[in-house]
Amino acid sequence: HDATKHVSEDFWRALTKKIKMYAQKNKVPVPYQIGETFGSRELIGSYVSSGQQNAQFDFNLYFDARSVFVNDNEPFTKLSESLNESFNYYGWHSLMGNISGNHDIARFISYAGEDLKFSDDDKESGWKRNIIVKNKVGYKKLAQLMAYIATIPGVPVIYYGDEIGMPGAGDPDNRRMMKFDNLPPDEANQLAITKQLFNLRKNNMALIYGDYDLLKADKKVMAYARYYFDSAALVFFNKDNESIKFKVNLPKEYSSASLKKHFNGKFSIQNNELLIELPPHSFEIITTK
């Protein structure tokens, strides 16, 4: 639902009631309702309840994620603190939407690809310039954002075109025609990474339902784990311009488990510690087999 806060709360309650009554009468699943509200977490959360909508886009988390993944000097501690704030407002196992972008704001990759600055007038730039991906590191940063929304609690929501790294300034330049065929190599590679990420999420119970445990967060690296009974997924990020090695402690029940990596990192385990090496601007997901 677009612009949730601009519609009467009475309408949302009446709509949800009728939807649930229809579903019960016809013995069909109750639809998942997600809304779009710009504002504080308190305002956004006020539209999420059993009598209203199931979820809203978590804009506050998105803007912090965008800032951290785009700007090399923004620390991962900022993002981990932002996620904790969302947990405090919406719960640790909410249905909130973790977005890759939105139709009202410039494309993530336009900032990450360095053809658009946060200080620019994003709408005016879209009318005056052909916004492109100037620096190909933008694709790596977009892949990190996709990996993040695919692996944290909540529901990942991809704005069309972000799965291939479609550029665009502010509205209406962020609403370019979708490209399905004859993708250039960078966009085809981005699509392949996106597919791999979300196929992994779809088939891994820990990434869907698992508890969240932050293992490490500092200026350049972040690591967290998702646990669901005997299933585990470990997620690692490096936002530096150079390869980085670092260690995290493993819970004893997983230290002797058979682990599988899914992307380009390298790891080893010794004495309940996992040592991982990540290329510049990369991520890795390691799961129990």
Side-chain angles (χ1 to χ4, degrees), residues 160 163-164 166 177-183 187 191:
Y160 88 95
E163 66 267 45
I164 63 172
M166 180 188 293
M177 292 294 291
M178 182 61 186
K179 294 163 63 177
F180 295 99
D181 304 307
N182 303 315
L183 298 177
E187 292 183 354
L191 179 59

Side-chain angles (χ1 to χ4, degrees), residues 92-123:
W92 288 73
H93 292 283
S94 74
L95 296 174
M96 290 294 288
N98 300 317
I99 63 174
S100 69
N102 175 263
H103 58 270
D104 290 321
I105 55 180
R107 297 273 184 176
F108 173 91
I109 202 167
S110 297
Y111 295 112
E114 300 179 359
D115 201 21
L116 195 64
K117 297 182 177 64
F118 289 117
S119 58
D120 290 340
D121 183 321
D122 59 343
K123 291 190 177 183

Side-chain angles (χ1 to χ4, degrees), residues 207-221:
L207 292 176
I208 300 173
Y209 298 115
D211 292 335
Y212 174 92
D213 182 20
L214 179 67
L215 303 176
K216 185 180 182 68
D218 60 23
K219 187 175 181 180
K220 295 295 184 181
V221 302

